[in-house]
Structures are given as C-alpha cells and as structure tokens.
Amino acid sequence: MYILGIETSCDETAAAVLNDDNSVLSNIVLSQDDVHAPFGGVVPELASRQHITAIEYVVGESLEKAGVKLPQIDAFAVTQGPGLIGSLLIGVSFAKGLAYYFQKPLIPVDHLESHIHAVFLENKTIPFPAVALLVSGGHTSLYLLRNKLSFERLAKTRDDAAGEALDKIAKYLGLGYPGGAIIDRMAAKGNPQKYHFSLPRMTDKILGYSFSGLKTAALRTIKDKTITLEHPQLDDFLASFQKAIVNALLAPLDEIIKTQAPKSLILCGGVARNSVLRYDFQHLAEKKNLAGFIPSPQFCTDNAAMIAGLALEKFKNEGEFTLSLDLNAYPSKLKKAGKIRKS
Ligand code: KG4
Ligand code: ZN
C-alpha cells in the first residue's frame, strides 16, 4: 500500500509518500521563506499564491523520488487544519481532486496531532502514557497520549506561542526570517547567563504557558541596552533570551510528570529543532528516568511525512475512509467544532 500526504497549512508546500510499513519513501518540502522574508513574517495571501504555483510540482517530485506512479497510490491524506484558511484550501482541493479522479479514500489529518505523531515515523511504538510538548510557530501546548491515536490537551499558551516570540524578537532586531533558526545559530556563540529574564509565573496557578511577558521584557532590554545588529553582546542577548524561552517551556513538566505519571516524553513542532531545547529536554527526561523522544529535525518543522504517517495510522485503526467531497478545511479547532458564532 502507498499513501500520499499533502501539507499546505502555512508557508511550506509539502508532499510525501509512505508505504504501509510506515517507511518514508519521499518527503519533499518547498519553503516560501524567500517570499516572506522581506516582511519578517508570513503574508497569508502570498502564501496561498505560492501554494497554487508549487503544489503540482511538489507532489510530482514526491512521487518521482518514491518511484511510485499516481495510479499506484491507495489513499490520499491532507492537512485539514488548523492553519491559514487560504493555504489549507489549496491542499484540501488538490487532494480532493486526486482522490476523486482515482476514486480512492481521502483521509483528513489535524496538523497539530500530526506534529506529535511524527515521533512514530522513526519509532514503531513508545511507552504509554506519554506527555507531548508541542512547540511551533503558532502553538505551544502539552498533550497526554494514552495510545497512538488519542490526543488530550492538558495545557496551552494564553498568548504568544514560543516560536512566535522568537520570530518577533528576530524581526524587531532585523535578524531575518524565520527568526527561531537564526537565533539558534547566533545564540550558540553567546553566553546565556549574560542577561537575566524571569520565568513567567501564572498568578491563577492554572497550568499553561505565557510568552508575551518574556517578549516584552526582551523588547525592554533591547531599548535600555540599545541592542542592535552591531552590538558586541548581541549573541549573549540572544542566548539569554533563548535560554529563558527553553526554561519556560520545560518548567511545567515537573508538575505534569507528577500528576500524569507518564512513561515517556515527546518534544515536537518546529521549535523542537532548537539545539538548546533538544539538549535540555533529553537531560530532563533522563533526570526523571523517562524515555525522551524527539523527531529528527526534518520531521519537526512542517512536512507531509507526518501527515501521511498519522493518516496511515487512522486508516489501519479507524476502518474504512470513504471519499467525502464535503470535506472542508478549518482554520482553528473552535471553527471545526462550530463553537465560534458568525458575527
Ligand atoms: O511547526 P512549524 O514548522 O510551523 C508551525 O506549525 O507553526 O514551526 C515553525 C516555527 C517558527 O516559529 C520557527 O522560527 C521555529 O519553528 N523554528 C525554530 C528553529 N527552527 C524553526 N525555533 C528555534 N530554533 C530552531 N532551530
Ligand atoms: Zn506546524
């Protein structure tokens, strides 16, 4: 069996082919970084236009690399949401067209769940229950997994996502886009002890994240110490800010491990590429005597292998998927659940 996954939720056009053994035969990601870089962030209208021009080529490449022809594909998988609605619709429409033409099942996949499931692209299974820390450009959340297909959200950010905070500071300093990866590179040359940032504290004691306070503190330091691209301690500043974000991300794990008693920990999402976060996360897992799992970097940032991987799991466990032409994209979970009233 071959499954083709398509991902277009934000600014990466991606397609991948997996076989029923869960082996990744191809994983093509076409980044739009150059298009969005001049704006310091993703411009939704430009993202949709780029997906339209790129999708046929990217899907073609994924098939060619896998050595598989379109009629051999047994099921199509696509990101349904959450994400930018214009971008999502390109992937959903393209996948629907293929599934309709070849009369094959179309499997919708949640983008956030697929980031977590990415861990199974390289591990057949892991000890359950597992706690997953999902850190991306738009989301920062903790989940409990009792098996490969159950995703229970335990906590989330109340304001910015961690990646968003890194990207915004990078944009403010004129470092380039996407900021997280650039900060990671520059911070490697800096001293993380040089500037002090306090850990965000939740006054209501409800488990969750908040990164807007850290972002504001960083902006204040930039102004007070006149930190610019030429500042001799720029790398120290970035290393200190990055370390503060990493500390804030790992802080709630103590409490979660106590209350949920997981057998393993997962770190995933684009920010999981961060070198300091990867190191500190594994260190924490070891200290707690838990198995720590982090997908390889190419499976952390947006990709379609994770979409096809989760779809395959659903296909094997949730019975027949039919071809539903009513399938629609959803920009957020609330919109999917119909909890947002139209104004
Ligand atoms: O998961 P992802 O590819 O897209 C979303 O679903 O949001 O995550 C993108 C985020 C961006 O904020 C980017 O700056 C961040 O991942 N990122 C990193 C690194 N590489 C990508 N953040 C820190 N260190 C990195 N090496
Ligand atoms: Zn993502």
Side-chain angles (χ1 to χ4, degrees), residues 105-168:
L106 177 60
I107 307 169
V109 169
D110 182 274
H111 182 79
L112 304 177
E113 293 176 359
S114 76
H115 265 304
I116 302 170
H117 197 84
V119 76
F120 299 110
L121 291 170
E122 297 163 298
N123 300 281
K124 277 223 174 312
T125 189
I126 63 169
F128 289 108
V131 163
L133 168 55
L134 164 63
V135 204
S136 70
H139 298 84
T140 303
S141 306
L142 284 161
Y143 288 81
L144 179 70
L145 277 78
R146 295 191 192 282
N147 58 54
K148 284 189 184 180
L149 286 173
S150 85
F151 305 90
E152 183 190 336
R153 196 171 64 192
L154 301 171
K156 64 177 180 111
T157 181
R158 298 150 187 231
D159 38 59
D160 289 353
E164 196 180 348
L166 288 164
D167 293 345
K168 281 181 180 165

Side-chain angles (χ1 to χ4, degrees), residues 7 9-10 12 82 111-112 114-115 134-139 269-270 300-303 306:
E7 150 67 36
S9 69
C10 191
E12 259 95 29
H111 182 79
L112 304 177
S114 76
H115 265 304
L134 164 63
V135 204
S136 70
H139 298 84
C300 287
T301 29
D302 290 349
N303 66 87
M306 66 184 192

